[in-house]
C-alpha cells in the first residue's frame, strides 16, 4: 500500500479506537486506483469537529463550521472532515447550511463525480456506492446523481469535468455531457480566479486539445471569463500541448491560436498576476522574431528565446533543432549578461569626459553595451575608456 496511506493510517485508527468511523476519501482513493501519484490525503469521519480536536493534541480548525479540522501527525497535515449532508448552494460555491450525519454513504452522495465518491477503510477495502471504480475502468466521467443538480450547485464542476477529461484522458458520460451543455452559462457566476486555476491544469493535461474541442462544441468556451475563438477550426485539438513546459508557454499558445487583438487586456481579464503577464508579453515578442541577432538574445535571454522556438516548433510542426543549436552557440559568444557586467559605470564615464550628466550619457552607455554584445568592443576597462574618449559628442 502507498506510503502516504500508511503514514496517515494511525490517524484513522486513533479515531476508530475512540469509537468513531474513519475512511480515506476523495482524490487520494481515485489516484490510488489509477496508480497515479497521490498529492494529499483526505479523511472523512463520523467524529464531530470538537471530538477530533479533543482526540488529537495538534489540530487547526480551518473549516470547522463545515466540519473540517486539520490534524497534525508526524509533522504532516491531514484534513479530517465530519460526514455531512448539505443544503442548497446559494452562492454557486458553498452550501448555505450543512448537517453532520453518521452515514458514510450519505456523505459521499454529495460529491461531484463517482470516482471522487469512493472510500477506503483501515483494512484498505474499497467502499464504492456509486460505481466509481467501474467508471475508472471505462475511463468515463460521470456525476454522482443528477448532473444538472451537481453543476447548478457549483458550476466550477463543469471546468473540473473538462480538466479530468484532459489530465486523465477520459470521456464524459452522455447524460453528464448534456448537462454540461445545458448548464455551461452558469460559469458566468464563477470567479475568474477559480476558473483560471482549473483551466491551466487542463492545459497541462495529456489531452488538452480534446478537452478544448469539447469545450468549444458544448459552448463552455463561450462562457469563459473572456471569449476565445480559434483562428482556424481544429487548431486547439491539432496542437500538441504536451510539447509545452511552462504556464507562460501555455497562455502564449492560447493567444497565438486564438483571435485575440488586445493581448494585455485578455490576460488582465483572466486576472493573471503581473509577473505572468510580463512573461507572456515577452514570449509573444520573442515569438515574432524571425532572425535572432546577438542583441535580441541579450535582451530576451536564452531561456525566453528557446521557449519561443519550442512554441514555434509546436505550432508549425517543424523541427528547429539546428536553429536551437545556433542560438545556444551565439549566446555563448556574448561576453555579458547585463549592463552590470561592464567594467565601467556612469560615474567613471563622467570623470573621463568631464561632462555633466544628461541624455547623452544614456545614449553612450546604450551604444557601448551594444558594441560589447556584438563583439565590436572588448570587455576591457582600458579599451572601454579609450572608446569613451573617442565617442562622438
Amino acid at each position: 500500500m502507498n506510503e502516504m496511506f500508511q503514514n496517515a493510517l494511525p490517524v484513522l485508527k486513533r479515531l476508530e479506537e475512540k469509537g468513531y468511523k474513519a475512511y480515506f476519501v476523495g482524490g487520494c482513493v481515485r489516484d490510488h486506483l489509477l496508480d497515479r501519484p497521490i498529492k494529499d490525503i483526505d479523511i472523512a469521519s463520523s467524529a464531530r469537529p470538537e471530538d477530533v480536536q479533543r482526540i488529537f493534541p495538534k489540530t487547526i480548525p480551518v473549516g470547522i463550521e463545515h466540519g473540517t479540522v486539520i490534524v497534525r501527525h508526524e509533522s504532516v497535515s491531514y484534513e479530517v472532515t465530519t460526514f455531512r449532508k448539505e443544503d442548497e448552494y446559494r452562492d454557486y460555491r458553498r452550501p448555505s447550511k450543512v448537517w453532520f450525519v453518521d452515514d458514510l454513504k450519505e456523505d459521499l452522495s454529495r460529491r461531484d463525480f463517482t470516482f471522487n465518491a469512493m472510500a477506503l477503510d483501515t483494512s484498505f477495502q474499497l467502499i464504492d456506492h456509486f460505481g466509481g471504480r467501474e467508471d475508472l475502468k471505462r475511463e468515463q466521467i460521470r456525476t454522482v446523481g443528477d448532473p444538472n443538480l451537481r453543476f447548478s450547485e457549483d458550476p466550477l464542476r463543469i471546468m473540473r469535468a473538462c480538466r479530468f477529461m484532459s489530465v486523465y484522458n477520459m470521456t464524459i458520460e452522455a447524460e453528464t455531457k448534456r448537462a454540461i451543455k445545458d448548464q455551461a452559462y452558469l460559469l458566468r457566476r464563477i470567479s475568474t480566479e477559480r476558473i483560471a486555476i482549473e483551466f491551466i491544469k487542463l492545459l497541462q493535461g495529456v489531452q488538452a486539445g480534446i478537452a478544448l474541442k469539447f469545450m468549444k462544441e458544448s459552448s463552455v468556451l463561450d462562457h469563459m471569463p473572456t471569449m476565445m475563438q480559434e483562428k482556424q477550426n481544429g487548431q486547439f485539438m491539432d496542437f500538441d500541448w504536451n510539447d509545452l513546459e511552462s504556464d507562460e508557454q501555455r497562455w502564449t499558445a492560447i493567444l497565438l491560436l486564438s483571435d485575440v487583438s488586445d493581448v494585455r487586456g485578455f490576460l488582465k481579464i483572466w486576472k493573471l498576476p503581473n509577473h505572468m503577464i510580463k512573461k507572456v508579453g515577452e514570449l509573444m515578442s520573442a515569438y515574432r522574431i524571425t532572425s535572432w541577432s546577438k542583441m535580441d538574445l541579450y535582451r530576451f535571454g536564452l531561456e525566453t528565446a528557446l521557449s519561443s522556438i519550442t512554441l514555434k516548433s509546436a505550432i508549425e510542426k517543424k523541427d528547429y533543432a539546428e536553429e536551437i543549436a545556433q542560438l545556444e552557440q551565439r549566446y555563448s559568444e556574448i561576453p555579458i549578461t547585463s549592463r552590470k557586467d561592464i567594467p565601467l559605470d556612469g560615474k567613471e564615464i563622467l570623470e573621463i569626459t568631464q561632462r555633466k550628466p544628461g541624455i547623452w550619457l544614456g545614449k553612450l552607455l546604450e551604444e557601448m553595451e551594444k558594441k560589447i554584445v556584438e563583439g565590436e568592443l572588448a570587455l576591457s576597462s582600458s579599451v572601454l575608456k579609450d572608446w569613451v574618449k573617442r565617442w562622438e559628442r
Side-chain angles (χ1 to χ4, degrees):
M1 181 52 67
N2 182 282
E3 184 179 359
M4 290 183 69
F5 284 119
Q6 295 290 356
N7 292 340
L9 192 58
V11 176
L12 277 73
K13 289 191 172 181
R14 179 67 173 162
L15 287 165
E16 287 190 342
E17 287 171 4
K18 294 297 181 178
Y20 301 102
K21 302 171 186 174
Y23 303 88
F24 296 109
V25 293
C28 62
V29 179
R30 175 198 67 224
D31 290 340
H32 164 64
L33 294 176
L34 289 172
D35 198 26
R36 293 175 66 94
I38 295 171
K39 296 178 181 177
D40 48 43
I41 296 290
D42 287 328
I43 299 167
S45 174
S46 60
R48 302 301 195 259
E50 60 271 20
D51 298 325
V52 175
Q53 290 177 302
R54 175 173 46 80
I55 293 168
F56 296 97
K58 296 181 180 179
T59 62
I60 306 170
V62 289
I64 199 164
E65 69 278 7
H66 292 103
T68 300
V69 175
I70 287 180
V71 171
R72 292 284 293 171
H73 174 72
E74 299 290 339
S75 301
V76 179
S77 295
Y78 300 103
E79 283 195 3
V80 178
T81 303
T82 304
F83 300 159
R84 70 190 194 194
K85 64 178 182 178
E86 302 171 339
D87 202 350
E88 62 181 331
Y89 285 60
R90 292 177 183 169
D91 64 354
Y92 296 100
R93 182 174 184 178
R94 297 183 184 90
S96 56
K97 185 178 180 181
V98 301
W99 295 272
F100 299 141
V101 297
D102 296 316
D103 182 41
L104 173 65
K105 183 178 180 180
E106 189 169 10
D107 177 76
L108 295 176
S109 69
R110 66 182 173 79
R111 296 175 183 262
D112 52 6
F113 304 111
T114 58
F115 50 60
N116 289 334
M118 298 182 289
L120 288 174
D121 64 18
T122 53
S123 299
F124 300 108
Q125 295 299 306
L126 182 68
I127 297 145
D128 181 15
H129 296 292
F130 305 101
R133 187 169 198 170
E134 186 60 31
D135 282 333
L136 287 181
K137 289 179 181 178
R138 293 180 179 178
E139 297 183 331
Q140 74 171 5
I141 300 160
R142 183 168 62 91
T143 60
V144 177
D146 179 4
N148 285 290
L149 176 60
R150 289 285 89 88
F151 294 136
S152 66
E153 290 171 338
D154 184 356
L156 188 69
R157 289 168 175 169
I158 293 172
M159 288 299 301
R160 283 170 58 80
C162 297
R163 189 244 295 182
F164 284 128
M165 173 185 263
S166 172
V167 174
Y168 291 95
N169 191 17
M170 291 181 171
T171 59
I172 299 179
E173 176 266 339
E175 189 178 351
T176 303
K177 188 181 291 187
R178 283 193 295 272
I180 287 175
K181 292 179 180 179
D182 292 341
Q183 304 283 344
Y185 73 94
L186 289 175
L187 281 169
R188 295 183 181 274
R189 307 290 183 91
I190 303 302
S191 72
T192 297
E193 291 87 348
R194 293 181 73 205
I195 292 176
I197 289 170
E198 293 295 330
F199 187 56
I200 199 63
K201 288 179 181 178
L202 181 154
L203 295 180
Q204 294 168 357
V206 295
Q207 293 292 354
I210 290 175
L212 286 168
K213 179 187 178 185
F214 168 73
M215 291 168 71
K216 179 181 178 182
E217 293 172 344
S218 59
S219 300
V220 171
L221 286 185
D222 294 341
H223 302 288
M224 300 287 268
T226 181
M227 190 177 295
M228 294 184 301
Q229 297 292 336
E230 291 177 285
K231 286 182 178 177
Q232 295 177 15
N233 189 41
Q235 271 193 309
F236 283 155
M237 185 172 177
D238 292 340
F239 181 73
D240 192 350
W241 295 90
N242 295 304
D243 287 341
L244 306 187
E245 302 162 345
S246 66
D247 288 344
E248 55 262 32
Q249 284 184 332
R250 296 179 182 98
W251 281 112
T252 306
I254 284 290
L255 290 165
L256 292 169
L257 298 174
S258 302
D259 189 16
V260 176
S261 55
D262 181 5
V263 169
R264 186 170 180 82
F266 178 90
L267 298 175
K268 282 285 188 182
I269 289 172
W270 273 97
K271 305 286 184 70
L272 296 188
N274 288 331
H275 72 87
M276 179 61 70
I277 293 176
K278 181 182 178 183
K279 285 183 178 180
V280 173
E282 290 174 351
L283 196 49
M284 285 285 287
S285 297
Y287 182 87
R288 297 187 181 103
I289 295 176
T290 55
S291 178
W292 284 83
S293 67
K294 284 185 177 180
M295 201 61 197
D296 290 330
L297 278 169
Y298 172 73
R299 187 170 70 253
F300 283 99
L302 183 62
E303 183 179 350
T304 299
L306 295 180
S307 184
S308 72
I309 298 301
T310 298
L311 265 177
K312 191 170 292 189
S313 177
I315 289 174
E316 297 178 3
K317 296 181 173 58
K318 291 182 181 178
D319 184 357
Y320 280 89
E322 185 176 342
E323 182 169 348
I324 288 173
Q326 290 173 354
L327 287 180
E328 290 174 335
Q329 175 59 36
R330 198 171 301 155
Y331 186 78
S332 70
E333 296 168 357
I334 300 174
I336 59 174
T337 58
S338 73
R339 190 173 285 183
K340 293 179 181 179
D341 296 333
I342 300 175
L344 195 65
D345 59 22
K347 184 178 180 181
E348 291 173 291
I349 292 171
L350 292 175
E351 291 176 356
I352 294 169
T353 59
Q354 293 296 301
R355 294 181 64 182
K356 293 181 179 180
I359 296 175
W360 68 270
L361 181 58
K363 291 181 177 179
L364 182 150
L365 285 166
E366 186 176 326
E367 185 178 340
M368 180 170 63
E369 183 180 33
K370 186 173 184 292
K371 287 184 176 295
I372 291 171
V373 169
E374 294 178 346
E376 297 176 20
L377 265 179
L379 195 64
S380 160
S381 180
S382 59
V383 170
L384 295 176
K385 286 178 180 178
D386 288 341
W387 179 83
V388 168
K389 292 173 183 177
R390 298 192 308 271
W391 188 72
E392 295 180 4
R393 301 189 177 193

